[in-house]
Amino acid sequence: MRHTLFSIKNPLILGLFLITFNVLLYLPAMKGDFIFDDIHLVKNSPITQNPNFLNKFLWQAFGDPLGKDARSQDLEKGMQYYRPLVSFSFWLDYKLWGLNAAGFHLTNMLLHSLNVLLLFLLVARCFNDWLAAFAAASLFAVFPTNFENVAWISGRTDLLALLFLLLSAHCFFTFVRSGHKRDTVTAALFFFLALLSKEAVILSLLVYIYAALIYGEKGSLHPKIYFLLTFSIAVMLFFLFRSSAVEVPRVNFSIIPPAALFSGIGFYLSRGLFPFFLGFSIPDEKVLHAPGYFLFGIGFCLFLGGAVVYFLVKKKSPPVYLPWGMLSFLLLLPSLFILFFENPVSLLAWRFMYLPLAAAVPMLAVFLARRMRPFFYGLLVTILLATFAIELLPHVRHYGQSDRAFWLNLRHLERESRLFRLNHAANLISVNEQKAAALLEPFIADRTSFMADFFNRRALEIGAFHFTASNDLKKAQYYFDVLFSRYAEQPLNVYFQYAVFLAKSGNREKGREIVMYYLRVFPENHEVLLHAADFYLLIRDYSRALQILQKDFRLFPTNFVQERIGKLQSSPAPD
């Protein structure tokens, strides 16, 4: 169906409008600095700033390297993620912009703009409906939950994954229409690049197979076999590359009950339908316990599964937007499976909605376009764009700050996750100790909720580290005593902070023994070397601190360490 309201058929004009609209929305984020994970993934990253980055990025886990000694590398193999193209994009930005965060933000904006444009063209090709395509792309561009992917530099993972997945989908669509081998080869190649950006896209292969069987050329098996062969090679290559860098994360159902999967699905569905009054994070402890989200999630799964089975059994041609709904659901599932990994890095996050929304928004846009008069449809889309922009812009502006200001200026803490509330308290404690303590106490007392130990330990660390730094050693002693009484093993940074506490308390030699022990156990570990250098600076052993920093720079060259070396060399006794 073609809508006469949208008589303009020039994709260039519409595309330029979409890009301009998108850039204007996210422009305030360019004022922001590196925030949260950006500091580890970019600003102080030995991966991003490594002169030999291109020689090894395909064989390296995503994130900070633990070290080059055998014990560190054993620990690093347990990291969950393998996303070399994301690391490559950060490295390329670093080469272009240095450590100017505005350049990194600009790249995110341009990637999102490309995704919006490619989505517009794909929907127009699939449904031959310019109005629905333009509505889908516009709504996706301004969808409120996308702020985390675009305004936050570290949200780039999903931007890149969608870029290559859309390019793959365009080639696959051409293959379904023509059956040409070259189209399935290019589709498989872009699919492989999408996998190198984020593992979650692998389930979209099921929709490719479904679409090839339903919509491909009838009576000819050869193109379908070639399609399966090329995509199988792409998947096998991905797993071959991935196995060289990381291990398969272990699943542990004792942390979170399986029912939480349906609660997560129900939550994401509800926020996709009503994306307003959003926090900057998701209070997962409220979501995963909510029976309403559980019932909504399990009901949707039964409905979707029933619809697919119905069309297969009845051998009826499904509605053209059904594969888009399947794709949205499948792109959401991997982000929910994270709940059941051992030591999950994240639980629920807005950025996990970016890929599913790229399929869900077009499906709904086409569905409504075929059931509404063009005038009322255009009015509805206009109202949604305005309300989405009103919700989105404050979040984008909030990212246009320094890291400290980002955490201190969080409002509506009741909407935020435990991790965000803890980070707010960690920055607030030097400004308002009493208020920060009130925020930390519930975390210290909680011993029953999901990942209670993780947040309990983090709250105690915040107190111990702050009072050590501010020389309130009596309070620091209390937090360290609770930490060591509750947990037999501690992260490396806790042991080093305890060494600092001991040195400040007059027990310098015992603190030195702790530092020297971990230097022997992890002789080429980036974190250990930096913490050890800090300790020797504290006790005014400047030559030893310089020696350790120089070793770290030889192993993990970064601007941050280079600046510290230069300061030490120019001023033998820094403040």
Side-chain angles (χ1 to χ4, degrees):
M1 178 180 179
R2 295 176 182 267
H3 287 289
T4 57
L5 179 69
F6 244 66
S7 57
I8 300 175
K9 295 298 192 296
N10 190 339
L12 179 61
I13 296 174
L14 300 179
L16 288 174
F17 176 85
L18 286 170
I19 291 173
T20 304
F21 176 58
N22 179 72
V23 169
L24 289 175
L25 281 170
Y26 284 100
L27 202 58
M30 288 188 67
K31 298 179 181 178
D33 202 353
F34 297 102
I35 292 173
F36 198 19
D37 287 353
D38 302 343
I39 296 170
H40 307 294
L41 294 175
V42 179
K43 188 176 181 180
N44 297 334
S45 171
I47 295 177
T48 302
Q49 300 177 31
N50 192 332
N52 298 317
F53 171 86
L54 291 177
N55 294 335
K56 59 182 301 185
F57 80 102
L58 281 174
W59 323 108
Q60 194 163 32
F62 181 63
D64 290 336
L66 296 174
K68 297 188 176 182
D69 53 83
R71 187 162 180 180
S72 294
Q73 290 184 345
D74 285 343
L75 293 173
E76 189 173 352
K77 287 284 286 187
M79 294 178 67
Q80 293 179 0
Y81 301 122
Y82 174 69
R83 295 166 180 175
L85 288 190
V86 182
S87 298
F88 177 78
S89 75
F90 288 147
W91 173 82
L92 194 59
D93 267 347
Y94 174 70
K95 288 296 183 182
L96 289 171
W97 314 108
L99 290 177
N100 182 355
F104 290 79
H105 282 294
L106 177 63
T107 300
N108 274 25
M109 290 163 52
L110 294 177
L111 286 171
H112 184 53
S113 298
L114 279 174
N115 288 339
V116 169
L117 183 59
L118 286 169
L119 186 64
F120 163 62
L121 296 174
L122 183 63
V123 176
R125 292 183 69 192
C126 289
F127 300 105
N128 194 29
D129 189 330
W130 289 98
L131 175 58
F134 187 77
S138 300
L139 290 170
F140 179 71
V142 73
F143 205 88
T145 59
N146 287 347
F147 72 87
E148 191 173 53
N149 300 93
V150 188
W152 184 36
I153 293 169
S154 295
R156 184 176 301 179
T157 298
D158 297 84
L159 301 178
L160 279 172
L162 182 59
L163 173 67
F164 292 117
L165 189 60
L166 286 170
L167 290 170
S168 174
H170 273 279
C171 297
F172 176 76
F173 180 82
T174 305
F175 161 71
V176 169
R177 288 285 184 88
S178 66
H180 292 160
K181 293 180 180 179
R182 66 175 181 274
D183 296 316
T184 191
V185 171
T186 53
L189 174 60
F190 284 125
F191 185 73
F192 174 66
L193 296 178
L195 287 171
L196 294 182
S197 301
K198 188 173 184 178
E199 306 90 330
V201 302
I202 193 166
L203 289 184
S204 61
L205 182 58
L206 297 177
V207 177
Y208 277 135
I209 295 172
Y210 180 81
L213 293 174
I214 298 296
Y215 302 112
E217 289 186 15
K218 306 299 181 184
S220 177
L221 286 176
H222 189 263
K224 295 181 176 66
I225 293 173
Y226 199 79
F227 151 74
L228 290 173
L229 178 62
T230 53
F231 273 78
S232 297
I233 292 172
V235 172
M236 286 189 292
L237 278 176
F238 166 71
F239 280 110
L240 179 64
F241 281 38
R242 189 185 190 281
S243 64
S244 68
V246 297
E247 295 176 345
V248 176
R250 291 181 290 272
V251 175
N252 189 343
F253 282 99
S254 65
I255 297 176
I256 296 175
L261 175 68
F262 298 105
S263 298
I265 292 171
F267 171 77
Y268 283 129
L269 285 170
S270 65
R271 299 311 262 166
L273 295 171
F274 188 79
F276 302 104
F277 307 110
L278 306 177
F280 290 92
S281 58
I282 300 171
D284 48 80
E285 72 279 10
K286 297 178 182 178
V287 172
L288 299 178
H289 285 290
Y293 290 135
F294 170 77
L295 292 173
F296 190 25
I298 201 167
F300 174 80
C301 291
L302 291 173
F303 171 78
L304 183 62
V308 173
V309 170
Y310 171 81
F311 287 111
L312 287 175
V313 171
K314 295 293 186 179
K315 296 182 180 180
K316 291 185 176 181
S317 180
V320 289
Y321 41 75
L322 182 61
W324 290 76
M326 292 169 55
L327 179 60
S328 179
F329 178 72
L330 291 171
L331 289 173
L332 179 63
L333 280 182
S335 297
L336 288 166
F337 288 152
I338 290 174
L339 293 170
F340 308 116
F341 288 167
E342 189 173 64
N343 302 318
V345 177
S346 303
L347 292 180
L348 303 175
W350 298 123
R351 63 186 178 275
F352 297 157
M353 293 183 69
Y354 188 78
L355 287 168
L357 283 171
V361 171
M363 178 190 67
L364 292 173
V366 172
F367 179 82
L368 292 174
R370 295 185 173 186
R371 282 157 179 79
M372 295 179 68
R373 292 179 180 274
F375 174 79
F376 292 108
Y377 181 72
L379 181 62
L380 174 64
V381 170
T382 302
I383 293 172
L384 287 175
L385 288 174
T387 53
F388 283 2
I390 291 171
E391 178 70 31
L392 177 73
L393 281 170
H395 291 76
V396 174
R397 292 194 189 102
H398 194 82
Y399 275 88
Q401 304 180 84
S402 67
D403 182 63
R404 180 172 171 79
F406 178 91
W407 297 114
L408 281 176
N409 295 331
L410 283 177
R411 300 179 181 179
H412 307 294
L413 289 179
E414 72 281 357
R415 298 179 186 174
E416 304 301 340
S417 68
R418 289 170 290 179
L419 183 59
F420 269 56
R421 297 200 300 272
L422 278 174
N423 285 343
H424 174 75
N427 284 273
L428 181 66
I429 196 168
S430 61
V431 178
N432 189 329
E433 185 180 307
Q434 186 175 1
K435 189 174 180 181
L439 291 171
L440 292 174
E441 282 305 319
F443 290 100
I444 295 173
D446 179 24
R447 305 301 298 274
T448 60
S449 65
F450 297 141
M451 296 182 67
D453 277 352
F454 172 85
F455 294 108
N456 180 280
R457 187 196 298 261
R458 176 74 180 116
L460 291 168
E461 289 172 5
I462 289 170
F465 294 1
H466 167 72
F467 291 117
T468 298
S470 61
N471 295 317
D472 191 339
L473 301 180
K474 185 176 180 180
K475 289 182 179 178
Q477 179 74 65
Y478 163 76
Y479 283 101
F480 277 119
D481 286 347
V482 177
L483 263 175
F484 287 116
S485 66
R486 288 189 181 180
Y487 306 104
E489 295 186 4
Q490 305 292 338
L492 286 172
N493 62 332
V494 172
Y495 290 119
F496 279 100
Q497 284 296 321
Y498 187 61
V500 169
F501 165 77
L502 290 171
K504 288 188 172 185
S505 302
N507 201 342
R508 180 179 297 186
E509 286 308 311
K510 188 174 180 181
R512 193 199 302 266
E513 287 176 9
I514 293 174
V515 172
M516 292 178 66
Y517 170 78
Y518 285 103
L519 282 172
R520 289 194 300 271
V521 175
F522 299 99
E524 296 182 336
N525 183 289
H526 182 54
E527 181 182 356
V528 168
L529 291 170
L530 290 183
H531 282 306
D534 288 337
F535 177 83
Y536 283 109
L537 285 172
L538 173 71
I539 64 174
R540 297 181 181 274
D541 188 344
Y542 301 120
S543 61
R544 179 65 173 142
L546 179 61
Q547 180 185 13
I548 291 173
L549 286 173
Q550 288 173 332
K551 179 180 180 179
D552 182 77
F553 186 76
R554 288 194 299 272
L555 294 168
F556 311 101
T558 62
N559 285 354
F560 170 69
V561 173
Q562 189 175 37
E563 289 172 2
R564 295 186 68 183
I565 291 172
K567 185 177 180 180
L568 262 179
Q569 289 175 331
S570 61
S571 177
D575 294 335

